[in-house]
Amino acid sequence: MIYLDNGATTPLDGDVLEAMLPYLKENYGNAQSQHGAGRASANALISARDKVAELLGCRADEVYFVSSGTEAGNTALKGVCLNRGKGRIVISSIEHPALYESALDMQKLGFEVTFVDPDKNGVVSAKSVESALTDDTVFCAVMSANNETGVIQPVEEIAKVCRERGIFYYTDSVQTAGCCALPTATVDGLGISAHKFYGPKGVGALYIKNGSKFSRLISGGMQERGLRGGTSNVAGAVGLAYALEKAVKERQKNNAHVKTVRDGFLDRVLKEIPCAKLNGCKDLLLPGHANVTFDGCDGENILFMLDLKGVCVSTGSACSAGAVAPSRSLISMGLGEREAKSAVRFTFGKYNTREEADLVVEELKKAVNIIKRT
Ligand code: PLP
């Protein structure tokens, strides 16, 4: 198998698994229990939180362990809005469904929602966000980098615009955690998910700046300072902290490797496949992303043909209610429906090699030729 879908999820790093195993086997106490086994788990949770806080550059009591990047986004958006009671939500139209669908949920409860489009390069400018902000805006979200195109967003500038107006600004850093510095110091909220940086699935971290008011979404015990009930996922938190630490330590090396493999792939694709065209500004891409439209080909067909050869990629389309809808992100960048449906996302990771990239180029050329002939 050649796995080029690291934007969807990454394999678990063996070292991360080793760090987690004691908390799945012998050290299984409930972190809320008052006996020795419970205390051992509670201490592991404290260390994991301290480590995440150190890596994020914030205080430990500003870090909440959650189940996913999706939960982090839901908690921030709904938690802040429910606390305020009414007002406007301003989010980009390229947000992951974690934020986009949450905004629609709140719209049903009476909140106003404004969606801000990116330009044709996939960038949501601070200027366009600024012109959407109103006196009654209570929440703003623009992701750190888009999951489909990999285009990095001007988070610091957007944060400044929101800060000047006292508006809570959340950035979804699920795609950038591990490979980019996180803008914790300039935003009010930020979410990450361990399975995107070689950690386990089912655990994320949410940063909420001290003093920010938000309502809890999960009522229950006093876990996460009473704001997120549910028995703590100690092994998950340990895994997330370890994976983030390793990713940060190896960032330069991994980014250089991933970018070299991706660039080699992309250069060949754009040169050797005449109908191929890159979506998003090349200079602003995450190191591993390449979203390419193959004019005249259906992206799903390419995906299936590569899958038959053991190559895993994804399309810019999302399957909704049985119908394949074109990607919201690509459409909002100005692509037509057909162009958006002709897009394929290749996301490279630290375990990919140049040889793999070359093999995929060859398979792609064959797939495109077959599709064009039929
Ligand atoms: N936000 C972005 C930008 C993502 O890419 C993803 C996952 O693909 C998520 C949120 C959701 O994260 P999780 O899978 O942990 O729910």
Side-chain angles (χ1 to χ4, degrees), residues 96-142:
H96 184 272
L99 275 299
Y100 196 86
E101 293 293 324
S102 292
L104 296 182
D105 286 351
M106 300 315 288
Q107 197 172 37
K108 287 184 202 127
L109 294 183
F111 284 82
E112 303 289 334
V113 183
T114 304
F115 296 103
V116 182
D117 283 336
D119 62 18
K120 63 179 188 340
N121 292 318
V123 179
V124 180
S125 72
K127 236 190 167 122
S128 58
V129 172
E130 188 172 15
S131 52
L133 299 176
T134 50
D135 287 346
D136 65 343
T137 303
V138 291
F139 182 93
C140 175
V142 177

Short mmCIF file of all heavy atoms in Angstrom, two decimals, residues 96-142:
data_model
loop_
_atom_site.label_atom_id
_atom_site.label_comp_id
_atom_site.label_asym_id
_atom_site.label_seq_id
_atom_site.Cartn_x
_atom_site.Cartn_y
_atom_site.Cartn_z
N HIS A 96 -13.72 23.38 8.30
CA HIS A 96 -14.09 21.96 8.41
C HIS A 96 -15.53 21.90 8.96
O HIS A 96 -15.96 22.80 9.68
CB HIS A 96 -13.11 21.29 9.40
CG HIS A 96 -13.30 19.82 9.53
ND1 HIS A 96 -14.17 19.28 10.45
CD2 HIS A 96 -12.72 18.78 8.89
CE1 HIS A 96 -14.12 17.95 10.34
NE2 HIS A 96 -13.26 17.63 9.40
N PRO A 97 -16.27 20.82 8.65
CA PRO A 97 -17.64 20.70 9.17
C PRO A 97 -17.72 20.87 10.70
O PRO A 97 -18.78 21.25 11.23
CB PRO A 97 -18.06 19.29 8.76
CG PRO A 97 -17.24 18.98 7.56
CD PRO A 97 -15.94 19.72 7.72
N ALA A 98 -16.64 20.59 11.41
CA ALA A 98 -16.65 20.76 12.88
C ALA A 98 -17.12 22.17 13.24
O ALA A 98 -17.88 22.36 14.19
CB ALA A 98 -15.25 20.51 13.44
N LEU A 99 -16.69 23.16 12.47
CA LEU A 99 -17.08 24.55 12.72
C LEU A 99 -18.29 24.93 11.88
O LEU A 99 -19.22 25.58 12.37
CB LEU A 99 -15.90 25.49 12.39
CG LEU A 99 -14.85 25.75 13.47
CD1 LEU A 99 -15.48 26.38 14.71
CD2 LEU A 99 -14.08 24.51 13.88
N TYR A 100 -18.26 24.51 10.62
CA TYR A 100 -19.31 24.92 9.68
C TYR A 100 -20.68 24.42 10.14
O TYR A 100 -21.64 25.19 10.24
CB TYR A 100 -18.97 24.35 8.30
CG TYR A 100 -19.72 24.98 7.16
CD1 TYR A 100 -19.25 26.13 6.55
CD2 TYR A 100 -20.90 24.41 6.70
CE1 TYR A 100 -19.94 26.71 5.48
CE2 TYR A 100 -21.60 24.98 5.64
CZ TYR A 100 -21.11 26.13 5.04
OH TYR A 100 -21.80 26.70 4.01
N GLU A 101 -20.75 23.14 10.46
CA GLU A 101 -22.03 22.57 10.90
C GLU A 101 -22.43 23.11 12.27
O GLU A 101 -23.62 23.29 12.56
CB GLU A 101 -21.95 21.04 10.94
CG GLU A 101 -21.80 20.39 9.57
CD GLU A 101 -23.04 20.56 8.69
OE1 GLU A 101 -24.16 20.54 9.22
OE2 GLU A 101 -22.87 20.74 7.46
N SER A 102 -21.45 23.38 13.12
CA SER A 102 -21.75 23.95 14.44
C SER A 102 -22.40 25.33 14.26
O SER A 102 -23.34 25.68 14.97
CB SER A 102 -20.48 24.10 15.28
OG SER A 102 -19.97 22.84 15.62
N ALA A 103 -21.87 26.10 13.29
CA ALA A 103 -22.44 27.42 13.04
C ALA A 103 -23.88 27.29 12.56
O ALA A 103 -24.76 28.05 12.98
CB ALA A 103 -21.60 28.19 12.03
N LEU A 104 -24.12 26.30 11.70
CA LEU A 104 -25.50 26.10 11.21
C LEU A 104 -26.43 25.68 12.35
O LEU A 104 -27.60 26.10 12.41
CB LEU A 104 -25.53 25.05 10.08
CG LEU A 104 -24.78 25.44 8.79
CD1 LEU A 104 -24.91 24.35 7.74
CD2 LEU A 104 -25.28 26.77 8.22
N ASP A 105 -25.92 24.86 13.27
CA ASP A 105 -26.71 24.48 14.45
C ASP A 105 -27.12 25.73 15.23
O ASP A 105 -28.26 25.86 15.68
CB ASP A 105 -25.91 23.57 15.38
CG ASP A 105 -25.76 22.15 14.85
OD1 ASP A 105 -26.41 21.82 13.83
OD2 ASP A 105 -24.97 21.38 15.43
N MET A 106 -26.17 26.63 15.41
CA MET A 106 -26.45 27.83 16.20
C MET A 106 -27.38 28.79 15.45
O MET A 106 -28.16 29.52 16.06
CB MET A 106 -25.14 28.55 16.59
CG MET A 106 -24.19 27.73 17.42
SD MET A 106 -24.99 26.84 18.78
CE MET A 106 -25.36 28.15 19.88
N GLN A 107 -27.30 28.74 14.11
CA GLN A 107 -28.21 29.56 13.29
C GLN A 107 -29.65 29.14 13.59
O GLN A 107 -30.54 29.97 13.72
CB GLN A 107 -27.88 29.35 11.82
CG GLN A 107 -28.45 30.39 10.90
CD GLN A 107 -27.92 30.21 9.48
OE1 GLN A 107 -27.74 29.08 9.00
NE2 GLN A 107 -27.64 31.30 8.82
N LYS A 108 -29.86 27.82 13.74
CA LYS A 108 -31.21 27.32 14.04
C LYS A 108 -31.68 27.81 15.41
O LYS A 108 -32.87 27.89 15.67
CB LYS A 108 -31.22 25.79 14.01
CG LYS A 108 -31.13 25.23 12.61
CD LYS A 108 -31.25 23.71 12.61
CE LYS A 108 -30.64 23.14 11.34
NZ LYS A 108 -29.65 22.09 11.55
N LEU A 109 -30.72 28.14 16.27
CA LEU A 109 -31.10 28.64 17.61
C LEU A 109 -31.23 30.16 17.62
O LEU A 109 -31.38 30.76 18.68
CB LEU A 109 -30.06 28.20 18.64
CG LEU A 109 -29.94 26.70 18.93
CD1 LEU A 109 -28.92 26.44 20.04
CD2 LEU A 109 -31.30 26.12 19.34
N GLY A 110 -31.10 30.80 16.46
CA GLY A 110 -31.34 32.24 16.40
C GLY A 110 -30.10 33.09 16.19
O GLY A 110 -30.20 34.32 16.09
N PHE A 111 -28.93 32.50 16.15
CA PHE A 111 -27.71 33.30 15.90
C PHE A 111 -27.63 33.65 14.42
O PHE A 111 -28.07 32.89 13.56
CB PHE A 111 -26.45 32.51 16.31
CG PHE A 111 -26.24 32.46 17.80
CD1 PHE A 111 -26.92 31.53 18.59
CD2 PHE A 111 -25.39 33.35 18.43
CE1 PHE A 111 -26.75 31.50 19.96
CE2 PHE A 111 -25.21 33.33 19.81
CZ PHE A 111 -25.90 32.40 20.57
N GLU A 112 -27.07 34.82 14.12
CA GLU A 112 -26.82 35.21 12.73
C GLU A 112 -25.47 34.62 12.34
O GLU A 112 -24.55 34.58 13.18
CB GLU A 112 -26.72 36.74 12.60
CG GLU A 112 -27.94 37.50 13.08
CD GLU A 112 -29.13 37.32 12.16
OE1 GLU A 112 -28.92 37.05 10.96
OE2 GLU A 112 -30.28 37.43 12.64
N VAL A 113 -25.35 34.19 11.10
CA VAL A 113 -24.06 33.63 10.66
C VAL A 113 -23.62 34.29 9.36
O VAL A 113 -24.40 34.41 8.42
CB VAL A 113 -24.12 32.10 10.44
CG1 VAL A 113 -22.75 31.55 10.06
CG2 VAL A 113 -24.63 31.38 11.70
N THR A 114 -22.36 34.74 9.33
CA THR A 114 -21.79 35.26 8.08
C THR A 114 -20.62 34.36 7.69
O THR A 114 -19.76 34.06 8.52
CB THR A 114 -21.24 36.70 8.28
OG1 THR A 114 -22.30 37.52 8.77
CG2 THR A 114 -20.73 37.28 6.97
N PHE A 115 -20.64 33.92 6.42
CA PHE A 115 -19.53 33.10 5.91
C PHE A 115 -18.63 33.97 5.05
O PHE A 115 -19.12 34.68 4.16
CB PHE A 115 -20.08 31.93 5.07
CG PHE A 115 -20.92 30.97 5.88
CD1 PHE A 115 -22.31 30.99 5.80
CD2 PHE A 115 -20.31 30.07 6.75
CE1 PHE A 115 -23.08 30.11 6.56
CE2 PHE A 115 -21.08 29.18 7.51
CZ PHE A 115 -22.47 29.21 7.41
N VAL A 116 -17.35 33.92 5.32
CA VAL A 116 -16.38 34.73 4.56
C VAL A 116 -15.65 33.83 3.56
O VAL A 116 -15.04 32.83 3.95
CB VAL A 116 -15.36 35.40 5.51
CG1 VAL A 116 -14.39 36.28 4.72
CG2 VAL A 116 -16.08 36.22 6.58
N ASP A 117 -15.70 34.22 2.28
CA ASP A 117 -15.06 33.41 1.23
C ASP A 117 -13.56 33.70 1.14
O ASP A 117 -13.13 34.82 1.41
CB ASP A 117 -15.70 33.72 -0.13
CG ASP A 117 -17.05 33.06 -0.28
OD1 ASP A 117 -17.29 32.04 0.40
OD2 ASP A 117 -17.87 33.56 -1.08
N PRO A 118 -12.81 32.71 0.68
CA PRO A 118 -11.38 32.95 0.40
C PRO A 118 -11.23 33.59 -0.99
O PRO A 118 -12.22 33.65 -1.74
CB PRO A 118 -10.81 31.53 0.37
CG PRO A 118 -11.94 30.70 -0.17
CD PRO A 118 -13.22 31.33 0.36
N ASP A 119 -10.02 34.03 -1.31
CA ASP A 119 -9.78 34.49 -2.70
C ASP A 119 -9.49 33.27 -3.57
O ASP A 119 -9.54 32.12 -3.09
CB ASP A 119 -8.65 35.53 -2.73
CG ASP A 119 -7.31 34.97 -2.25
OD1 ASP A 119 -7.15 33.73 -2.21
OD2 ASP A 119 -6.42 35.77 -1.90
N LYS A 120 -9.12 33.50 -4.82
CA LYS A 120 -8.96 32.36 -5.73
C LYS A 120 -7.74 31.49 -5.37
O LYS A 120 -7.63 30.35 -5.81
CB LYS A 120 -8.90 32.83 -7.19
CG LYS A 120 -7.74 33.71 -7.53
CD LYS A 120 -7.81 34.06 -9.00
CE LYS A 120 -6.63 34.79 -9.57
NZ LYS A 120 -5.72 35.51 -8.73
N ASN A 121 -6.86 32.03 -4.53
CA ASN A 121 -5.71 31.24 -4.07
C ASN A 121 -6.02 30.42 -2.82
O ASN A 121 -5.15 29.74 -2.28
CB ASN A 121 -4.53 32.16 -3.75
CG ASN A 121 -3.97 32.79 -5.00
OD1 ASN A 121 -3.84 32.11 -6.03
ND2 ASN A 121 -3.67 34.08 -4.94
N GLY A 122 -7.25 30.58 -2.31
CA GLY A 122 -7.62 29.81 -1.12
C GLY A 122 -7.32 30.52 0.19
O GLY A 122 -7.38 29.92 1.26
N VAL A 123 -7.00 31.82 0.09
CA VAL A 123 -6.64 32.58 1.30
C VAL A 123 -7.82 33.43 1.78
O VAL A 123 -8.42 34.17 0.99
CB VAL A 123 -5.44 33.52 1.01
CG1 VAL A 123 -5.07 34.33 2.26
CG2 VAL A 123 -4.25 32.72 0.52
N VAL A 124 -8.12 33.34 3.07
CA VAL A 124 -9.16 34.18 3.67
C VAL A 124 -8.43 35.38 4.28
O VAL A 124 -7.72 35.24 5.28
CB VAL A 124 -9.92 33.40 4.78
CG1 VAL A 124 -11.00 34.29 5.41
CG2 VAL A 124 -10.52 32.11 4.23
N SER A 125 -8.58 36.54 3.66
CA SER A 125 -7.78 37.69 4.12
C SER A 125 -8.37 38.31 5.37
O SER A 125 -9.59 38.25 5.62
CB SER A 125 -7.71 38.75 3.01
OG SER A 125 -8.97 39.38 2.90
N ALA A 126 -7.49 38.94 6.15
CA ALA A 126 -7.93 39.63 7.37
C ALA A 126 -8.89 40.75 6.99
O ALA A 126 -9.84 41.05 7.72
CB ALA A 126 -6.72 40.18 8.11
N LYS A 127 -8.66 41.36 5.84
CA LYS A 127 -9.52 42.45 5.37
C LYS A 127 -10.95 41.96 5.15
O LYS A 127 -11.92 42.63 5.55
CB LYS A 127 -8.96 42.97 4.04
CG LYS A 127 -8.69 44.43 4.08
CD LYS A 127 -8.38 44.94 2.69
CE LYS A 127 -8.44 46.45 2.80
NZ LYS A 127 -7.27 47.09 2.45
N SER A 128 -11.09 40.81 4.51
CA SER A 128 -12.45 40.31 4.25
C SER A 128 -13.12 39.90 5.55
O SER A 128 -14.34 40.07 5.71
CB SER A 128 -12.44 39.17 3.22
OG SER A 128 -11.64 38.12 3.67
N VAL A 129 -12.34 39.39 6.50
CA VAL A 129 -12.94 39.05 7.80
C VAL A 129 -13.37 40.34 8.49
O VAL A 129 -14.49 40.45 9.00
CB VAL A 129 -11.92 38.28 8.69
CG1 VAL A 129 -12.47 38.09 10.10
CG2 VAL A 129 -11.58 36.92 8.07
N GLU A 130 -12.48 41.32 8.45
CA GLU A 130 -12.76 42.60 9.11
C GLU A 130 -14.07 43.21 8.59
O GLU A 130 -14.90 43.68 9.36
CB GLU A 130 -11.60 43.57 8.87
CG GLU A 130 -11.72 44.85 9.66
CD GLU A 130 -10.44 45.70 9.55
OE1 GLU A 130 -9.61 45.42 8.65
OE2 GLU A 130 -10.30 46.62 10.37
N SER A 131 -14.27 43.14 7.27
CA SER A 131 -15.48 43.79 6.74
C SER A 131 -16.75 42.99 7.09
O SER A 131 -17.85 43.52 6.97
CB SER A 131 -15.37 44.07 5.25
OG SER A 131 -15.01 42.92 4.57
N ALA A 132 -16.59 41.75 7.54
CA ALA A 132 -17.78 40.97 7.93
C ALA A 132 -18.12 41.15 9.40
O ALA A 132 -19.23 40.81 9.82
CB ALA A 132 -17.53 39.49 7.64
N LEU A 133 -17.17 41.67 10.18
CA LEU A 133 -17.41 41.80 11.62
C LEU A 133 -18.39 42.94 11.90
O LEU A 133 -18.30 44.01 11.30
CB LEU A 133 -16.09 42.05 12.37
CG LEU A 133 -15.03 40.94 12.25
CD1 LEU A 133 -13.74 41.36 12.96
CD2 LEU A 133 -15.53 39.62 12.83
N THR A 134 -19.31 42.69 12.81
CA THR A 134 -20.30 43.71 13.17
C THR A 134 -20.24 43.93 14.68
O THR A 134 -19.57 43.17 15.40
CB THR A 134 -21.71 43.19 12.82
OG1 THR A 134 -21.86 41.88 13.39
CG2 THR A 134 -21.94 43.11 11.33
N ASP A 135 -20.96 44.92 15.15
CA ASP A 135 -20.94 45.21 16.59
C ASP A 135 -21.47 44.04 17.42
O ASP A 135 -21.10 43.88 18.58
CB ASP A 135 -21.79 46.46 16.89
CG ASP A 135 -21.09 47.71 16.41
OD1 ASP A 135 -19.87 47.62 16.12
OD2 ASP A 135 -21.75 48.76 16.28
N ASP A 136 -22.38 43.26 16.80
CA ASP A 136 -22.96 42.15 17.58
C ASP A 136 -22.24 40.82 17.36
O ASP A 136 -22.70 39.77 17.81
CB ASP A 136 -24.46 41.99 17.25
CG ASP A 136 -24.71 41.57 15.80
OD1 ASP A 136 -23.78 41.72 14.98
OD2 ASP A 136 -25.82 41.10 15.51
N THR A 137 -21.05 40.85 16.69
CA THR A 137 -20.32 39.59 16.47
C THR A 137 -19.72 39.10 17.79
O THR A 137 -19.04 39.85 18.50
CB THR A 137 -19.20 39.78 15.42
OG1 THR A 137 -19.79 40.26 14.22
CG2 THR A 137 -18.47 38.47 15.15
N VAL A 138 -19.99 37.83 18.10
CA VAL A 138 -19.49 37.27 19.37
C VAL A 138 -18.40 36.23 19.15
O VAL A 138 -17.65 35.89 20.07
CB VAL A 138 -20.64 36.63 20.20
CG1 VAL A 138 -21.58 37.70 20.71
CG2 VAL A 138 -21.39 35.56 19.42
N PHE A 139 -18.32 35.69 17.92
CA PHE A 139 -17.39 34.58 17.68
C PHE A 139 -16.90 34.63 16.24
O PHE A 139 -17.69 34.86 15.32
CB PHE A 139 -18.12 33.25 17.94
CG PHE A 139 -17.25 32.03 17.77
CD1 PHE A 139 -16.60 31.47 18.86
CD2 PHE A 139 -17.10 31.42 16.53
CE1 PHE A 139 -15.79 30.34 18.72
CE2 PHE A 139 -16.29 30.30 16.37
CZ PHE A 139 -15.66 29.75 17.47
N CYS A 140 -15.61 34.39 16.06
CA CYS A 140 -15.05 34.34 14.71
C CYS A 140 -14.14 33.11 14.61
O CYS A 140 -13.44 32.77 15.58
CB CYS A 140 -14.23 35.61 14.44
SG CYS A 140 -13.38 35.59 12.84
N ALA A 141 -14.20 32.42 13.48
CA ALA A 141 -13.30 31.28 13.27
C ALA A 141 -12.75 31.28 11.85
O ALA A 141 -13.53 31.35 10.90
CB ALA A 141 -14.01 29.96 13.55
N VAL A 142 -11.45 31.24 11.75
CA VAL A 142 -10.78 30.97 10.47
C VAL A 142 -9.66 29.99 10.80
O VAL A 142 -8.85 30.23 11.70
CB VAL A 142 -10.19 32.25 9.82
CG1 VAL A 142 -9.44 31.89 8.54
CG2 VAL A 142 -11.29 33.27 9.53
#
